[in-house]
Each structure stands twice: as structure tokens, then as C-alpha cells.
Amino acid sequence: QVQLVESGGGLVQPGGSLTLSCTASTLLYDYRAIAWFRQAAGKEREAISCISNTDDGTYYTGSVAGRFTISRGQAANTIELQMDSLKDEDPDVYHCAIDTRRRPSIGTFPCRDAKYDAWGQGTQVTVAS
């Protein structure tokens, strides 16, 4: 099973920015999709962004659209989440996840249709003055 490790979390002021990274134990090219989730205490885990390895299509949930950007890192085993205009109500814990099924050789695959089965431990983001 592929292992995922998130990094880049920390303390930022409201309106500030952070870049989260997810490093995998394998290259990511053959997987169907990659996503970022976040979760606040007592709340359900929320999918906030994903990218398809088949057609490069991306998705952003409404609460982060225009503020967050998902991208592949320079290394073939990394993905990033650029977070701008952070708010104190943004949940604290962020996880990366992968649909480890082999990507389709042709056509498209919307990342919102993925079944994410590999998860990182999470990294904490604290937005406070």
C-alpha cells in the first residue's frame, strides 16, 4: 500500500497563506486521482479539492474555490495545496488521499467519482491572530 505524508501546516494569521505538500512512497502517475480533505472536530470529513491523473481535471468545493489551488509538485511523488486568504473558521486538519486504482488509458475520469483508499495522517493548520 502506498504511504502518504503531509507537511507544511502551521500557524498563520487570518488572510495569510500556506502551501501543503503530500509526499507518497511511490510515483503518482498511475493512480486515478489525488485529493485533499479536511476535518474539524466533531464534523464529517470534507473533500475540498481533487485532481484527475487521466485528464488533469480539477474540483474545488465552494468554500475554498478561488482561495485554494491543487497542483502536482515538482517531484513525481508529490502534490501540493496552495492555500490563500485563510480564515479562522477553516478546519484545522488536512489530509491527502489517493484513489490507487490504475488510471484509465484513454478518456476522462472526473476526480469527484474517485474512491479514495489511501490516506495520510494529516497536518494541522491553525489560523489565529
Side-chain angles (χ1 to χ4, degrees):
Q1 177 69 277
V2 60
Q3 296 178 339
L4 305 173
V5 179
E6 302 93 339
S7 62
L11 175 65
V12 297
Q13 295 181 340
S17 298
L18 281 177
T19 300
L20 303 183
S21 295
C22 175
T23 301
S25 59
T26 65
L27 302 182
L28 298 172
Y29 292 131
D30 290 336
Y31 301 128
R32 288 201 179 193
I34 309 164
W36 286 96
F37 291 75
R38 66 184 186 182
Q39 187 171 23
K43 302 293 184 179
E44 293 185 345
R45 186 160 49 197
E46 176 190 26
I48 58 172
S49 185
C50 61
I51 184 168
S52 171
N53 276 342
T54 300
D55 58 14
D56 292 331
T58 57
Y59 161 80
Y60 299 93
T61 193
S63 61
V64 309
R67 298 192 295 133
F68 292 7
T69 304
I70 191 171
S71 64
R72 300 181 180 89
Q74 290 184 249
N77 65 333
T78 62
I79 58 169
E80 297 181 346
L81 184 70
Q82 176 66 44
M83 304 186 296
D84 298 319
S85 301
L86 285 162
K87 304 173 181 178
D88 56 10
E89 63 264 31
D90 286 324
D92 290 348
V93 180
Y94 291 74
H95 298 262
C96 61
I98 294 174
D99 183 337
T100 62
R101 294 177 294 174
R102 182 172 293 275
R103 67 175 179 87
S105 58
I106 59 173
T108 61
F109 180 77
C111 60
R112 284 185 290 176
D113 294 338
K115 298 179 179 179
Y116 295 100
D117 58 350
W119 298 83
Q121 292 293 316
T123 187
Q124 187 167 12
V125 174
T126 302
V127 183
S129 300

